[in-house]
Amino acid sequence: MEKESIAVGLDIGTTKIVAMIGKKNEYGKLEILGVGKSKSLGVARGVVNNITQTIQSIQQAIADAEADSGYKINDVVVGIAGQHIRSIQHSDYISRSNPEEVIGDADIDLLINQVHKLAMLPGEEIIHVLPQEFKIDGESEIKEPIGMYGGRLEASFHVVVGQASSIRNVGRCIKSAGLDLSGLTLEPLASADAVLSQEEKEAGVALIDIGGGTTDLAIFKDGIIRHTAVIPFGGNVITEDIKEGCSIIEKQAELLKVKFGSAWPGENKDNEIVSIPGLRGREPKEISLKNLSKIIHARVVEIIEQVFAEIKAYGHEDPRKKLIAGIVLTGGGAQLSHIKQLVEYITGMDTRIGYPNEHLAGDSDEEISSPMYATAVGLVMNSIRNNTKSATPLVEIKKEEPKIEIKPQVVIEERVEEVLEPVEAVQQMQQQGHNGKQPEIQESTGDKIKKGFFDKYIERIKEFLDNAE
């Protein structure tokens, strides 16, 4: 019986770390087997700034997910975000020596490797190389070049770049927490997988993921990723403003924002007041909900205006680049009252709140369908696409524990030669197995490129971590 593919996504956020275990059910939907959540300590604006605290938070989330699901986690797909992320558009081409031969994987790999040689700023590394459209001998708008003839193969790429040190710090935390890294994905791309439909990606849509430390943007048009950006402001700055503006502690400010906060000040009457207990026997504080909304409104407007500037930079005002499906809001910040109306007011674009429930099995917990889990759900989906076996049932682990037999030393020495022969036979069988042809599975060019590149990239990170020890 074939082992089921169990996938694990790890969302290392600024306010929370979420470990999610899932698998595909018989209807092709995502069945969540367990979720672990811990307060994120040691991460600021999507970047690790305290290795020890981050490792502890990851271990806590992993332990909770294992207890919730009954599975032992081996490896994880991790989301990358942070203010160091930027994206560039780049075009490149290769001239093929024999135009009479059909274009194959080797030609695509050659073109991709050429893009990887792009000169980056000091300390930067390429995270994603996402092909958009191919051109063969001047004929444009080709989405699948494999199998076609041509001498000059050209492509436009969306290249995502990040700080090498930040990425390696994440890799170090994963390894120190006792896990393997099976994949890296840009967080807005993971969120997009979870909450956007293919129709929206075709029509043109901007996904805004408002997290604790950063606000991520991903723009799609004609089913292709066109623009990504990370803005270094999120829900935490709103909490910080409330804390300063109302002279209260952070815990109270966060509770006020979640329970009574609104992005639209006109909603609250002047006489609506909430009372907060004073510290250490001091008098309770009375805070006007109208003033609270004004503080939130000012900061949310600033965040949305920065995102809208990025949407304009993509060229949204050009009729050919128009985003017909408008904006989709997700992430914890999307739960703020009246934020949808404010985004529509500022941008003039249709807006909806994105829930990751479209891809989830019908009996999923209501909490998992919340926008704050969109990235984690997207990471699990990403892991499933890679056919990973990221977790093992605890029952299986107990069954497979080897029995230790103690034999006299002399017998072991006599049998060494006998034992060597079966070992050699096994090695020969394994070699033959590798040489034997496996059934071919057809994959799209984009999938092959992503898988091939990620394998190389994760190997490089693992090599770096091993050498660092």
Side-chain angles (χ1 to χ4, degrees), residues 160-221:
V160 180
V161 182
Q163 283 289 338
S165 57
S166 297
I167 298 160
R168 284 171 183 161
N169 283 339
V170 170
R172 162 64 60 205
C173 291
I174 300 297
K175 191 171 182 186
S176 300
L179 302 163
D180 284 334
L181 185 63
S182 66
L184 277 171
T185 302
L186 189 65
E187 291 201 349
L189 296 181
S191 302
D193 278 347
V195 302
L196 297 181
S197 66
Q198 193 53 41
E199 287 84 358
E200 285 177 317
K201 289 181 183 178
E202 289 287 343
V205 65
L207 177 87
I208 303 173
D209 184 345
I210 307 169
T214 58
T215 297
D216 306 334
L217 171 72
I219 296 175
F220 293 83
K221 178 77 176 170

Side-chain angles (χ1 to χ4, degrees), residues 46 54 92 177 442 448 456:
T54 307
D92 219 322
Q442 290 297 318
K448 283 175 187 164
K456 288 178 201 164

Side-chain angles (χ1 to χ4, degrees), residues 224-242:
I224 296 165
I225 180 84
R226 299 293 181 182
H227 188 74
T228 49
V230 178
I231 288 131
F233 295 114
N236 280 8
V237 260
I238 301 171
T239 306
E240 197 65 31
D241 286 358
I242 297 167

Side-chain angles (χ1 to χ4, degrees), residues 123-291:
E124 280 192 335
E125 253 181 35
I126 293 172
I127 302 170
H128 285 274
V129 174
L130 303 165
Q132 295 180 317
E133 283 161 332
F134 292 89
K135 235 186 216 183
I136 299 171
D137 293 343
E139 189 184 331
S140 59
E141 294 185 16
I142 294 168
K143 290 190 179 177
E144 185 57 271
I146 288 176
M148 298 178 83
Y149 292 95
R152 179 186 164 109
L153 176 65
E154 197 177 335
S156 58
F157 295 95
H158 182 76
V159 183
V160 180
V161 182
Q163 283 289 338
S165 57
S166 297
I167 298 160
R168 284 171 183 161
N169 283 339
V170 170
R172 162 64 60 205
C173 291
I174 300 297
K175 191 171 182 186
S176 300
L179 302 163
D180 284 334
L181 185 63
S182 66
L184 277 171
T185 302
L186 189 65
E187 291 201 349
L189 296 181
S191 302
D193 278 347
V195 302
L196 297 181
S197 66
Q198 193 53 41
E199 287 84 358
E200 285 177 317
K201 289 181 183 178
E202 289 287 343
V205 65
L207 177 87
I208 303 173
D209 184 345
I210 307 169
T214 58
T215 297
D216 306 334
L217 171 72
I219 296 175
F220 293 83
K221 178 77 176 170
D222 300 325
I224 296 165
I225 180 84
R226 299 293 181 182
H227 188 74
T228 49
V230 178
I231 288 131
F233 295 114
N236 280 8
V237 260
I238 301 171
T239 306
E240 197 65 31
D241 286 358
I242 297 167
K243 181 181 135 184
E244 298 295 328
C246 301
S247 302
I248 53 176
I249 62 170
E250 195 171 330
K251 195 177 172 183
Q252 292 172 336
E254 182 64 31
L255 276 170
L256 264 182
K257 179 182 82 176
V258 173
K259 287 198 169 183
F260 302 103
S262 167
W264 201 264
E267 283 299 308
N268 299 110
K269 298 182 180 72
D270 292 326
N271 60 354
E272 283 183 310
I273 284 168
V274 64
S275 182
I276 288 177
L279 294 173
R280 291 290 242 168
R282 292 177 179 84
E283 287 292 305
K285 253 200 176 79
E286 289 190 342
I287 290 159
S288 157
L289 289 187
K290 197 167 189 88
N291 286 345

Side-chain angles (χ1 to χ4, degrees), residues 29-96:
K29 294 287 185 185
L30 184 62
E31 188 182 323
I32 303 299
L33 303 170
V35 180
K37 192 170 116 181
S38 68
K39 190 168 169 52
S40 181
L41 303 166
V43 181
R45 290 187 175 169
V47 179
V48 174
N49 63 4
N50 186 319
I51 294 272
T52 314
Q53 285 185 327
T54 307
I55 292 165
Q56 287 169 354
S57 298
I58 290 171
Q59 285 171 331
Q60 177 66 52
I62 293 289
D64 287 358
E66 288 178 340
D68 190 25
S69 64
Y71 281 79
K72 172 86 179 75
I73 295 173
N74 309 317
D75 58 72
V76 292
V77 168
V78 179
I80 289 283
Q83 60 199 54
H84 60 92
I85 301 286
R86 67 185 183 94
S87 65
I88 49 174
Q89 292 295 116
H90 176 71
S91 291
D92 219 322
Y93 75 94
I94 54 164
S95 295
R96 301 178 68 238

Side-chain angles (χ1 to χ4, degrees), residues 3 11 56-57 72 121 153 176 192 241 254 349 354 363 368 408 426 432 435:
K3 284 191 173 182
D11 175 16
Q56 287 169 354
S57 298
K72 172 86 179 75
L121 293 172
L153 176 65
S176 300
D241 286 358
E254 182 64 31
M349 295 164 76
D363 56 352
I368 298 163
V426 169
Q432 285 166 7
N435 296 336

